[in-house]
Amino acid sequence: MTQAMTSHMEWETVWAAARERLRRELGEAVFDAWIAPLVLCGFDRNEITLGAPKPFHRNWVANQYTARIDRALRAEGGEPATISIVLSAPAIGARVVRETPVAAVDSELASISYLRGGNPTGVPSDKPLRGLSQRLLNPAQSFENFVPGPANDFGYRAAKALAQGEAEDVSLLYIHGGFGYGKSHLLNGIALEAKRRGRRALFLGAEDFMRQFLGALNRKDTLSFKEELRAADILLIDDLQHLCRSTYTVAEFLHTLNAFADLHRKLVIACDRTPAALENLTEDVRSRLSGGLVIALDKPDRATRLAILKSRAADYARQRPDGALPEDVLERIADLEDASPRDLIAVFTKLATYADLTKQPVTLEVAEQTLGSRTVSSRKTSIEDIQRKTAEFYKLDLRDFQSAGRARRIARPRQVAMYLARELTMRSLPEIGKRFGGRDHTTVLHACRRIAALCEEDNAFKEEVNFLRSVLSKAN
């Protein structure tokens, strides 16, 4: 649907079709309870306003079903820029599909964050409230389902204490680690626990923060964006590394950091690297982030990997008994030394699904065949591998990579090795620098940018780098 769709008749047609789609997707009981009472109140330049009969109903739909409604509208040809859920009352200049009296305002659901628009009572005004869409919380990613171990126990305990209101002296919690190590799980667990305790938690991906702030900037409505963020008792931002692409969003993020410190509210951040290793951030932002409680999640040890698999196996067996895996297969999967928790669950799910669909027991032999190219002996490229192969290629001694020498014959291969280490491993810039004679992260970043530029300028040099990359891939 394009901008040409401006009449209420067309929106009503799309809304009616979207309702039927939601009825099929959600089932009659859920549909009748939450979607059926909604009415189409109005539209303005593809901004859709839906009315709910009571504040509790409005808050619940805004928190639980806004994303589903958006997908249904788009599936039926609509392209809503925003979806607002308000107490149902006729919108000015628009015909309401079904009249519903405005209920008296009762207490708001504390866990829902939405724009007040200068109207603290929550009574509808000429300017409808706009909900800042957040990630839908996953009930399976709670603290009860998180398996702690030596590599993540500190992060687990800190997150749980903050969610339960026991970490009063911690205003900023910064959790970093590789992909699939449990960062998002902990943030989701904090949000779930905060909601259970009646606190307002707003969980956003960095992409959501960036997109919605820039949208507010274009609408000249940044004040409302700021007000909604600051209404949260706990603001959780995932994948912070994606927020660093825009100067505007970095500046707004700093304002948010300062505001939450001044308001004595909690800010929880997850990222794939330390604050010092984040690119395109100003020093004041790095300083503010580093001043919080910074905790790393590392790869789990074997005991923790096995505990994760057993926990997952118990949950899976309750739902699909035919997908149970024997103890020796779980032990074999736990031998994947470099596997993240997410990798382990992926391997487990593949084997359990095989058992469930074929009704055949999974033996060790079947496990090896089903895993295919990923065997338990597989490993990821290490910085040591990269240094060794690069030194062999350029006829250098490994000690040259640790030295302070700046001769071109040593400096350029060292830069290549740093570049490949950043590309082929999950190590942060400071970690890479430490392996190259204790260099700082700015030196590593300069090396990576220099090699990337040379690859663009010099095809022969680019072939050298590609050759080393292929050698490392074949070796592992």
Side-chain angles (χ1 to χ4, degrees):
M1 195 70 62
T2 65
Q3 292 181 348
M5 189 179 73
T6 56
S7 73
H8 62 260
M9 287 297 291
E10 289 173 306
W11 275 120
E12 286 181 16
T13 300
V14 171
W15 172 235
R19 280 167 55 90
E20 290 307 310
R21 176 179 288 273
L22 289 167
R23 184 194 300 275
R24 295 192 301 271
E25 292 178 355
L26 300 174
E28 293 291 340
V30 174
F31 178 86
D32 289 341
W34 301 109
I35 305 301
L38 298 178
V39 296
L40 177 62
C41 290
F43 55 89
D44 180 21
R45 295 182 181 178
N46 287 356
E47 294 183 7
I48 309 305
T49 304
L50 300 175
K54 295 181 180 180
F56 179 86
H57 190 279
R58 173 197 62 194
N59 293 339
W60 185 258
V61 170
N63 188 44
Q64 301 293 332
Y65 295 110
T66 302
R68 296 293 293 267
I69 292 171
D70 179 74
R71 288 198 295 269
L73 287 169
R74 293 181 185 278
E76 298 300 334
E79 293 183 1
T82 60
I83 298 175
S84 300
I85 312 293
V86 301
L87 291 180
S88 56
I92 295 177
R95 182 169 65 84
V96 178
V97 177
R98 186 175 73 222
E99 294 279 337
T100 304
V102 178
V105 177
D106 55 13
S107 61
E108 297 169 0
L109 190 64
S111 61
I112 304 300
S113 176
Y114 59 92
L115 289 179
R116 302 180 183 276
N119 187 359
T121 66
V123 177
S125 64
D126 290 346
K127 184 178 180 180
L129 300 173
R130 285 196 182 92
L132 182 62
S133 63
Q134 65 169 331
R135 283 192 180 182
L136 296 178
L137 300 183
N138 184 353
Q141 290 187 339
S142 64
F143 289 126
E144 290 73 20
N145 294 331
F146 190 90
V147 179
N152 58 24
D153 188 62
F154 185 23
Y156 166 74
R157 291 178 182 272
K160 193 171 183 179
L162 185 144
Q164 294 175 345
E166 299 173 0
E168 290 300 325
D169 55 337
V170 177
S171 60
L172 171 62
L173 175 60
Y174 186 102
I175 302 173
H176 66 94
F179 298 111
Y181 281 9
K183 303 184 298 297
S184 298
H185 189 147
L186 288 179
L187 264 63
N188 194 91
I190 292 172
L192 287 173
E193 182 65 19
K195 287 183 63 176
R196 193 179 70 80
R197 293 171 177 267
R199 303 172 72 190
R200 292 168 295 182
L202 182 58
F203 186 13
L204 296 171
E207 295 276 7
D208 301 323
F209 182 100
M210 183 167 58
R211 183 182 67 255
Q212 298 194 48
F213 170 68
L214 293 176
L217 196 64
N218 290 333
R219 295 193 303 269
K220 295 182 172 60
D221 194 23
T222 56
L223 180 60
S224 294
F225 176 86
K226 295 171 186 285
E227 287 176 348
E228 182 165 10
L229 284 182
R230 287 143 180 76
D233 296 315
I234 302 178
L235 174 62
L236 306 106
I237 299 179
D238 201 6
D239 294 321
L240 182 69
Q241 66 274 9
H242 298 316
L243 186 136
C244 305
R245 294 183 240 154
S246 165
T247 303
Y248 293 111
T249 51
V250 169
E252 178 57 30
F253 179 63
L254 176 60
H255 295 325
T256 302
L257 287 173
N258 293 332
F260 268 72
D262 294 340
L263 293 169
H264 302 289
R265 292 181 179 170
K266 307 295 186 184
L267 184 59
V268 184
I269 294 169
C271 189
D272 68 347
R273 64 201 73 169
T274 64
L278 283 167
E279 303 168 22
N280 302 325
L281 285 187
T282 55
E283 285 305 317
D284 47 358
V285 177
R286 284 200 187 90
S287 175
R288 178 71 78 175
L289 293 175
S290 299
L293 179 58
V294 180
I295 300 177
L297 301 186
D298 206 344
K299 65 181 180 182
D301 60 9
R302 190 182 186 283
T304 306
R305 295 198 298 269
L306 185 57
I308 291 170
L309 290 166
K310 287 183 175 180
S311 174
R312 177 59 178 156
D315 291 340
Y316 198 92
R318 282 192 288 269
Q319 302 173 25
R320 301 179 183 178
D322 291 330
L325 298 184
E327 182 82 11
D328 60 347
V329 171
L330 297 181
E331 294 268 1
R332 200 77 168 98
I333 300 173
D335 287 334
L336 291 167
E337 293 184 1
D338 289 327
S340 69
R342 184 182 297 163
D343 296 331
L344 295 172
I345 296 303
V347 173
F348 170 86
T349 302
K350 184 175 183 179
L351 290 171
T353 303
Y354 169 85
D356 184 45
L357 295 179
T358 64
K359 310 303 181 189
Q360 298 292 325
V362 177
T363 63
L364 284 175
E365 292 74 17
V366 171
E368 294 287 1
Q369 294 172 4
T370 305
L371 288 174
S373 59
R374 173 151 200 178
T375 63
V376 293
S377 61
S378 65
R379 63 186 179 88
K380 296 179 181 177
T381 304
S382 68
I383 293 178
E384 289 74 16
D385 294 331
I386 294 169
Q387 290 177 331
R388 186 171 60 256
K389 292 296 181 182
T390 306
E392 290 175 2
F393 181 80
Y394 287 105
K395 304 296 188 293
L396 296 176
D397 191 295
L398 276 174
R399 290 172 295 184
D400 291 331
F401 290 142
Q402 313 296 325
S403 71
R406 295 187 178 183
R408 182 184 178 87
R409 72 176 192 87
I410 295 174
R412 185 55 48 76
R414 185 165 55 216
Q415 288 180 327
V416 170
M418 289 181 183
Y419 172 81
L420 291 172
R422 189 189 185 197
E423 181 180 297
L424 301 178
T425 75
M426 296 301 298
R427 301 299 180 183
S428 65
L429 296 180
E431 289 175 311
I432 295 172
K434 185 178 180 181
R435 303 291 188 89
F436 284 85
R439 288 168 168 80
D440 61 29
H441 75 278
T442 57
T443 302
V444 180
L445 182 59
H446 170 75
C448 295
R449 289 175 173 170
R450 181 58 182 151
I451 296 304
L454 286 173
C455 286
E456 291 292 328
E457 300 167 4
D458 188 338
N459 286 332
F461 180 75
K462 182 178 181 180
E463 288 179 6
E464 289 181 9
V465 175
N466 286 340
F467 174 77
L468 276 170
R469 186 187 292 110
S470 66
V471 167
L472 289 163
S473 299
K474 290 177 183 178
N476 292 285

